Amino acid sequence: MIVVLLGPPGAGKGTQGERVAAYLGVPKIATGDVLRAAVKAGTPLGLEAKSYMDRGDLVPDAVILGIMKQALAAPEQARGVVLDGVVRTVPQAEGLAHVLAELGKPLDVVMLFTIVEDELVARLSSRTVCDACQTPFMGRQPGETHAECAHDPKGRLVRRKDDEPDAIRNRMRVYDAQTAPVISWYRAHGANIAEIDALGTLDDVTVRALKAVGKG
Ligand code: AMP
C-alpha cells in the first residue's frame, strides 16, 4: 500500500506516519529525515540542503525527486511505503505519479492532516528532537538526555533550527504557497484523499489515520 502524508508542519505527520507504517508493516520514508541525516554527515546532498532547511524553505524539487526515486526503487519498499513530507509541491506530485506509473504501483491514499495554525505554532515551539534518532518530544527542554535512545544513550534533545519562531512562520507561508496547491492537484487527479482531524491525543489521531487505510 502506498500512502502519502500531507499537512502543515507540526500536524503530526511524522509520529502518525510511524504508527501507520508499523501497522501496515511497511517502511516510512521521510525526506526531512533523509536530509537531516545528510546534513549531519556533511555529504554533498547535506551541504546543498542545509541553508534551505535552516530558513524553513523547501529544498529544490530536483533534489527531492532524486531521493524519492532512489527510495521507491529499493526492494524494502516492495510491499508499500508511507511517504512523510515527500510531496510538498505540484512538480513533486507529478514526479511521484510518474515514478509510481513506471513501477506499476497505484497511490492508494493521500492522508491530509488538518489543524488550525495557532495549535501548530504552539506545538512546534515546544518541540525538541533527539539529535541521534530524531524522535520528537513535546514540552521537554533542549539539553536533556534521551536516555532511552535506541541509537545512542547519550542522545541529546535539541531544538530544530527550523523550529525557531522566524523559521516556523516562514514554513507556514511556504506551506500555504507551495504545498496547499498539491491538495487541489490531487483532487483534480481523482486521488483518494482522507482528511484526518489532527487535533486530539496521539491515540485519537492514530485511530482516525488507521481508518483511512482500512484498519480500524
Ligand atoms: P520536515 O522534517 O518534513 O519538516 O522537513 C524539514 C525540512 O526539510 C523542510 O522544511 C524542507 O526544508 C526540507 N524538506 C523535507 N521534505 C521536503 C520536500 N519534499 N521538498 C522540499 N523540501 C523538503
Side-chain angles (χ1 to χ4, degrees):
M1 180 171 245
I2 310 247
V3 180
V4 162
L5 309 181
L6 263 186
K13 298 184 298 295
T15 307
Q16 296 300 335
E18 211 63 74
R19 291 175 164 206
V20 171
Y23 213 92
L24 293 174
V26 301
K28 184 187 86 148
I29 300 171
T31 29
D33 291 345
V34 173
L35 293 167
R36 275 185 291 278
V39 170
K40 201 170 172 190
T43 65
L45 170 65
L47 293 177
E48 181 176 1
K50 187 174 185 317
S51 59
Y52 295 99
M53 295 176 76
D54 286 351
R55 288 193 302 269
D57 284 338
L58 294 184
V59 171
D61 287 333
V63 174
I64 300 296
L65 287 168
I67 297 175
M68 192 158 80
K69 263 191 201 154
Q70 202 180 8
L72 283 168
E76 309 85 88
Q77 263 69 267
R79 295 189 49 236
V81 66
V82 172
L83 296 171
D84 166 14
V86 177
V87 179
R88 273 169 139 116
T89 65
V90 169
Q92 289 180 24
E94 290 166 344
L96 175 63
H98 190 74
V99 174
L100 290 179
E102 274 181 352
L103 294 170
K105 293 180 180 171
L107 170 52
D108 296 283
V109 56
V110 175
M111 278 190 197
L112 173 59
F113 290 85
T114 59
I115 189 160
V116 291
E117 183 164 327
D118 285 354
E119 174 67 19
L120 296 176
V121 175
R123 283 186 187 186
L124 293 174
S125 6
S126 73
R127 172 165 80 175
T128 49
V129 298
C130 171
D131 66 354
C133 69
Q134 304 299 321
T135 301
F137 294 93
M138 293 300 165
R140 288 182 61 176
Q141 296 308 309
E144 282 184 36
T145 304
H146 179 207
E148 326 73 84
C149 179
H151 291 257
D152 174 1
K154 290 206 272 317
R156 288 211 159 270
L157 302 191
V158 293
R159 178 99 57 224
R160 277 171 46 174
K161 266 219 171 86
D162 58 354
D163 282 345
E164 301 291 344
D166 282 352
I168 293 177
R169 273 188 289 276
N170 188 38
R171 285 160 75 202
M172 300 295 173
R173 301 293 78 82
V174 166
Y175 179 80
D176 289 342
Q178 298 190 62
T179 307
V182 173
I183 303 166
S184 317
W185 189 90
Y186 274 125
R187 286 199 207 290
H189 287 77
N192 173 24
I193 301 183
E195 282 199 30
I196 318 273
D197 177 0
L199 202 58
T201 66
L202 280 182
D203 290 345
D204 288 342
V205 181
T206 303
V207 168
R208 293 172 203 146
L210 290 179
K211 273 204 184 117
V213 290
K215 310 262 176 191

